[in-house]
Amino acid sequence: KYLEHSWEASEGSYVFEPPGEIHTLVVPEGVDEMITLFHVTGSLLYCDPDGNVTGAEDVFTKLELAKKHYAKVGLGEDFVQQFVR
């Protein structure tokens, strides 16, 4: 469920979010588990309630996080390279 929309996605739903879409994803009470696949092809901008950007993520920041994770668990930061074409 997105707070900004009246509809709710249910099992098997497909949701397209155009660039510039601002929304708040919530899991309804009583839902024990929600599994979601996000296919992101651009940057994610995190905003405060007033719409000001407070953070951003893109493929480069995700790769840096992955490198740190793989180094921490003993696989080495180069382990991430197998996922990059």
Side-chain angles (χ1 to χ4, degrees):
K1 175 173 176 65
Y2 290 125
L3 297 180
E4 295 79 10
H5 299 289
S6 60
W7 52 267
E8 280 191 35
S10 58
E11 185 175 337
S13 294
Y14 172 84
V15 176
F16 173 76
E17 300 169 356
E21 171 78 4
I22 297 176
H23 56 269
T24 309
L25 177 64
V26 295
V27 180
E29 286 191 36
V31 174
D32 295 328
E33 180 180 59
M34 182 180 99
I35 299 172
T36 306
L37 170 66
F38 293 99
H39 179 79
V40 180
T41 58
S43 298
L44 289 176
L45 301 177
Y46 298 96
C47 301
D48 66 15
D50 296 320
N52 300 306
V53 176
T54 60
E57 290 183 344
D58 60 17
V59 66
F60 303 107
T61 58
K62 293 290 190 187
L63 284 172
E64 286 304 312
L65 288 171
K67 286 180 183 180
K68 290 177 184 176
H69 168 74
Y70 291 129
K72 182 179 178 180
V73 299
L75 294 171
E77 67 176 38
D78 287 339
F79 188 78
V80 76
Q81 294 305 319
Q82 67 183 313
F83 306 115
V84 180
R85 289 192 216 175

